[in-house]
Amino acid sequence: MTTQRIAVILRNGQPDETVTVQGWVRTKRELKEFAFVEVNDGSAMANLQIVIDPKLSNYENIVKQLNTGASIEVVGVLVASPAKGQRIELKASMVIVYGDADPQTYPLQKKRHSFEFLRTIAHLRSRTNTYSAVFRVRNACAYAVHQFFQERGFLWVHTPIITASDCEGAGEMFSVTNFDLTKIPRNDTQQIDFSQDFFGKPAYLTVSGQLEAEVMAMAFGNVYTFGPTFRAENSNTSRHLAEFWMIEPEMAFCDLEGDMDLAEAFLKYIFKYVLENCREDMEFFNDRIDNTVLATAENMINNQFERLTYTEAVALLEKADKQFEFPVKWGLDLQSEHERYLAEELFKKPTIVTDYPVGIKAFYMRLSDDEKTVRAMDILAPKIGEIIGGSQREERLDILERRIEAQGMNKDDLWWYLDLRRYGTVPHAGFGLGFERVVQFMTGMGNIRDVIPFPRAPLTIDF
Ligand code: ATP
Ligand code: MN
């Protein structure tokens, strides 16, 4: 007989069925007539209640070991539960304890622990209600991402994690080297001699797979990446990780309107999928973490996103009856407080801001005819700020070369990227979505370090 997942038993199990379950003890209660053990296997928020009869052989020895955290296997028969709040329970005929957990030292006690404390036990925190719900939702989100793109014929492409192009994230990149750091080779002028390094030149962890995704879009039309991304952000914020996952679709024969339409449909799709498939977890977040998450998700699915230009956004911010910490002025980048004001207070829904000043956006974004703005779009979400950054790309060789030079970059390093504009160039567009920001937005979790199993941030790498 195979083991069954507790989620399946709780949903479909029928009285008199014999089942085997495996999981970890959440709680134990010993009464005169029976011992009750709540067991959880991570498949659902709810536990399965195990009823153990004192007549079971070796009863005392077994029950003694069934402490919170112990791993067990139980064979038994399902019975309708007299207890309220659960339909079914399992009457044990055999209990195997794989590993006990000393109640004197097991760090997860029944009381509520703070997220700060739980971050210090990242190897155990997934056994709590909150984190197991977060990681189930995260899994469902990831599945929905692939389903959305695959249904539409997008190819999933794997872009490199180690890269030589430092054009996007100057200053924010982690170096990759196999130099012995105590004796780094230097040349006559005391510069580091990268010709002796592994790749023969400086290498970094990627901050984005976009440039390579563009290469693939020029062969397959529509592609997407979904992989890890690294930024040596010194900002210790609740929205930044040093290692996070990014989804970057890239579409040939597509302009900014098509890009926005796809981004909006995409966000709606994953929210809908999670609401339909993780209802119990989402209700938990709504009850315990943030009582607006269900309404926010519904609102997201059912309403059109607000769309306005940067120029219009700045005018609204200048008129706002609110003191901002950072200045608002045409030409300056929007800060998180401005983004949140727009999405959270003014429009109260996801908001797409387009056509940013050329001076604050990347070289590859398509220059508009006014030559003052580029065809960029950011999607701002209530509470989080930016969750998507995208643009129509500059497909005209001469203008792209001019922009690269204007930013003080060397166009020879980007020869292959420029080749895409030499051979069969087409209008194209794409965006980048921070996966953790979406999970954060969806669950209401306040800190991005709580939506990835092993967060990497300044001075944070123990697990
Ligand atoms: P921010 O202004 O919030 O730092 P950004 O402008 O640096 O964002 P992009 O370079 O456009 O962001 O990256 C695309 C997406 O990746 C962002 O919209 C965001 O969702 C996500 N993202 C960016 N940096 C991080 C980070 N350090 N940790 C987690 N997600 C991030
Ligand atoms: Mn950033």
Side-chain angles (χ1 to χ4, degrees), residues 247-272:
I247 297 144
E248 295 177 278
E250 191 67 38
M251 294 156 287
F253 308 101
C254 182
D255 61 9
L256 192 71
E257 276 64 38
D259 199 31
M260 289 191 278
D261 290 345
L262 185 90
E264 181 166 346
F266 173 58
L267 283 173
K268 288 179 168 163
Y269 185 99
I270 46 187
F271 271 74
K272 191 153 182 276

Side-chain angles (χ1 to χ4, degrees), residues 367-383:
L367 193 64
S368 297
D369 294 340
D370 63 13
E371 303 226 341
K372 290 198 185 79
T373 59
V374 288
R375 300 247 66 198
M377 63 110 175
D378 280 0
I379 302 191
L380 317 176
K383 300 214 180 89

